[in-house]
């Protein structure tokens, strides 16, 4: 059982749960998605994350601290307002200066490289799907059902969760953005489970956010797919894809 890998993906999973502000409104989804993904050829850019050595060093410190303070971490993150980073606490395992550096490095565009290609958007019978070439094959498995308001990754069906409204420009995109999110998490009550139960569970977290970047007008598809079985990492995909406006 790889506790090291388990804590790494669990930390990323829990951080992502507080990554943007949300509301429960469900308005204009079909209209927006049809506008954002009209049929035809579009240039898409995929941003690949490459952590620096310093980021890896700081992350190792956090993972070591979480190993001793996981129950505290579950309790602590519950009080973090949506869209805000965790306030500093010594249990994180970093000094205040190191934690500030960690957050700044995580928001830096220098940790991302970009690949671009043309792909086809197909809209038929209320279903949006994608036909990629080389770098974005994962999009070929994604379908957006406008009628049922469900996003699928192959056989995995993600129901609508919430609207997304990021009102601060202090993020990786350096811009406000808004849209919608769909997701599936198993088992329920992940944040309330103890470490022993987590290490014996099959944890699945599939989330897709789709929105429009205010500054550039680009359309964003943000993929976050994570799966752990009894502490072993089966899947860990975090991939923002940008569609240039047409």
């Amino acid at each position: 059982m790889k506790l090291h890998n388990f804590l790494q993906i669990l930390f990323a999973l829990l951080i992502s749960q507080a990554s943007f502000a949300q509301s429960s409104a469900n308005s204009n989804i079909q209209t927006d998605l049809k506008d954002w993904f009209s049929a035809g050829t579009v240039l898409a850019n995929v941003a690949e994350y490459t952590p620096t050595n310093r980021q890896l060093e700081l992350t190792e410190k956090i993972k070591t601290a979480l190993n001793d303070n996981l129950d505290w971490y579950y309790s602590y993150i519950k009080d973090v307002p949506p869209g805000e980073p965790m306030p500093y606490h010594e249990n994180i395992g970093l000094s205040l200066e190191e934690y500030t550096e960690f957050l700044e490095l995580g928001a830096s565009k220098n940790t991302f490289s970009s690949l671009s290609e043309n792909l086809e958007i197909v809209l038929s019978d209320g279903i949006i799907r994608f036909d990629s070439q080389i770098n974005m094959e994962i999009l070929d498995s994604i379908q957006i059902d406008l009628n049922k308001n469900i996003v699928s990754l192959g056989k995995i069906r993600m129901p609508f969760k919430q609207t997304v409204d990021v009102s601060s420009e202090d993020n990786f995109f350096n811009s406000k953005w808004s849209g919608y999110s769909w997701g599936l998490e198993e088992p329920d009550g992940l944040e309330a489970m103890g470490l022993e139960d987590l290490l014996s569970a099959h944890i699945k977290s599939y989330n897709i956010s789709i929105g429009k970047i205010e500054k550039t007008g680009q359309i964003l598809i943000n993929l976050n797919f994570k799966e752990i079985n009894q502490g072993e990492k089966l899947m860990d995909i975090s991939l923002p894809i940008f569609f240039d406006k047409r």
Side-chain angles (χ1 to χ4, degrees), residues 7-18:
L7 289 174
Q8 181 180 18
I9 191 171
L10 181 63
F11 178 70
L13 189 156
L14 293 175
I15 284 290
S16 69
Q17 291 178 347

Side-chain angles (χ1 to χ4, degrees), residues 1 18 29-30 38 52 70 81 86 110 118 123 132 151-152 156 159 199 208-209 217 219:
M1 190 174 296
I29 297 178
Q30 192 175 92
S38 55
T52 65
L70 198 57
M86 290 190 303
N110 294 329
N118 288 316
L123 175 58
S132 70
V151 177
S152 299
I156 299 169
L199 286 171
I208 293 181
S209 300
I219 305 307

Side-chain angles (χ1 to χ4, degrees), residues 21-192:
Q22 298 177 324
S23 69
S24 59
N26 183 358
S27 61
N28 302 320
I29 297 178
Q30 192 175 92
T31 300
D32 284 341
L33 292 178
K34 283 183 177 180
D35 178 53
W36 296 344
F37 298 112
S38 55
T41 303
V42 63
L43 179 65
N45 303 277
V46 57
E48 295 187 320
Y49 181 73
T50 305
T52 65
N53 289 335
R54 179 58 172 165
Q55 283 176 290
L56 294 174
E57 178 186 347
L58 294 174
T59 301
E60 285 296 324
K61 288 187 175 183
I62 293 173
K63 288 186 295 185
T64 300
L66 284 183
N67 191 20
D68 299 325
N69 296 289
L70 198 57
D71 289 338
W72 163 84
Y73 179 71
Y74 285 142
S75 176
Y76 191 61
I77 199 171
K78 290 178 183 177
D79 297 326
V80 178
E84 298 293 333
M86 290 190 303
Y88 173 73
H89 193 286
E90 61 183 8
N91 285 355
I92 294 173
L94 303 177
S95 68
L96 177 58
E97 292 76 13
E98 287 175 324
Y99 186 59
T100 301
E101 182 185 4
F102 176 76
L103 295 178
E104 290 175 348
L105 288 170
S108 172
K109 290 188 176 182
N110 294 329
T111 58
F112 286 79
S113 59
S114 183
L115 297 171
S116 301
E117 73 174 45
N118 288 316
L119 57 79
E120 291 291 324
I121 298 175
V122 180
L123 175 58
S124 178
D125 297 326
I127 304 292
I128 298 171
R129 63 179 182 83
F130 306 93
D131 186 5
S132 70
Q133 298 177 23
I134 300 174
N135 298 316
M136 305 180 197
E137 299 96 330
I138 192 168
L139 285 178
D140 296 343
S141 301
I142 293 175
Q143 292 191 353
I144 304 170
D145 189 326
L146 298 176
N147 299 316
K148 297 180 180 179
N149 199 13
I150 289 175
V151 177
S152 299
L153 173 69
K155 295 182 179 180
I156 299 169
R157 293 164 61 84
M158 290 165 274
F160 176 74
K161 290 176 63 178
Q162 293 168 310
T163 61
V164 180
D165 183 16
V166 179
S167 58
S168 171
E169 295 185 355
D170 186 17
N171 54 60
F172 168 69
F173 314 116
N174 292 319
S175 174
K176 300 175 183 178
W177 68 280
S178 59
Y180 311 96
S181 68
W182 295 257
L184 173 68
E185 284 87 22
E186 295 178 351
D188 293 332
L190 175 64
E191 68 281 356

Side-chain angles (χ1 to χ4, degrees), residues 200-212:
S200 63
H202 190 168
I203 299 171
K204 300 178 182 179
S205 177
Y206 292 87
N207 289 278
I208 293 181
S209 300
I210 300 175
K212 187 172 184 178

